[in-house]
Amino acid sequence: ARQEDSALAELRLAQGPADLLGTWMGDRVRLATAWALLGVGDLDALSECIAPLISTDSANPIYRCQLHAVQAEMAIRTDRTREALETARGALSIAVSDEFLWESVVLLEVAACATAKLGDRLRAVRLFAAAQQRRLDEVLMLGPPCHIDLLNTVADETRRKLGEGRFARAWSDG
């Protein structure tokens, strides 16, 4: 996953080329680059990459939801967990109401990670399970490699802290 993120980050489409593609394609390129930069841990470049998306009020709500997912994951990785949860929750309501399936699952997963890191592990497991079930029901692709790594790391840590039995019961409740 890290090699894939590194290869994408090397493209460095954070400035210039993305702007030449026009807003619609430029926003897509910036979001793809943002996930890659998040994956390699280059948070300064990530901040620079998403700054134009933050400063302009994108008319495309699906991109806003994706941007909020990136911002929430960035907040988790910089120990601003409560901010991450608030960001994910706010965007999740938009994603669900507008039926953005992939975005709603990714935001739910990010909310689960933040919830686990805040110590509410049983609730986090139920959120992980709900996201997983939604992903399976809708046959949705997995998120970017850095997102999957975060999910696996937090879910494994949560499983260890709760124990297999409590984790399994909470998962079945999700």
Side-chain angles (χ1 to χ4, degrees):
R2 187 168 279 302
Q3 287 177 338
E4 184 178 327
D5 285 334
S6 295
L8 288 171
E10 286 177 20
L11 293 176
R12 290 302 186 126
L13 295 174
Q15 288 188 341
D19 295 329
L20 298 175
L21 297 171
T23 303
W24 181 81
M25 184 58 93
D27 288 355
R28 290 178 58 108
V29 170
R30 282 190 191 284
L31 286 164
T33 303
W35 282 110
L37 292 168
L38 187 63
V40 297
D42 192 343
L43 301 182
D44 291 334
L46 171 59
S47 294
E48 190 176 308
C49 175
I50 63 175
L53 296 173
I54 295 169
S55 66
T56 60
D57 189 24
S58 175
N60 191 327
I62 201 164
Y63 292 159
R64 300 298 300 166
C65 289
Q66 291 173 13
L67 172 63
H68 290 307
V70 169
Q71 289 175 304
E73 281 207 25
M74 183 174 161
I76 288 173
R77 292 165 192 266
T78 55
D79 296 323
R80 295 176 292 129
T81 310
R82 189 154 309 282
E83 178 185 328
L85 183 56
E86 291 169 8
T87 300
R89 280 183 180 164
L92 184 58
S93 65
I94 296 166
V96 169
S97 69
D98 287 353
E99 298 181 11
F100 301 149
L101 300 177
W102 185 84
E103 289 73 13
S104 64
V105 170
V106 168
L107 288 161
L108 189 58
E109 292 166 340
V110 172
C113 288
T115 300
K117 289 201 170 271
L118 289 170
D120 192 351
R121 292 180 188 89
L122 292 173
R123 182 181 187 90
V125 173
R126 290 190 296 269
L127 292 171
F128 280 129
Q132 174 76 14
Q133 190 59 54
R134 180 73 185 235
R135 184 178 299 286
L136 293 172
D137 289 348
E138 301 294 338
V139 192
L140 300 172
M141 68 179 184
L142 295 172
C146 63
H147 175 74
I148 297 165
D149 287 347
L150 178 67
L151 291 179
N152 290 339
T153 300
V154 174
D156 290 346
E157 177 183 304
T158 303
R159 182 182 292 113
R160 274 193 311 279
K161 288 183 178 179
L162 284 176
E164 237 4 272
R166 288 179 70 200
F167 185 90
R169 282 189 299 279
W171 188 274
S172 66
D173 290 343

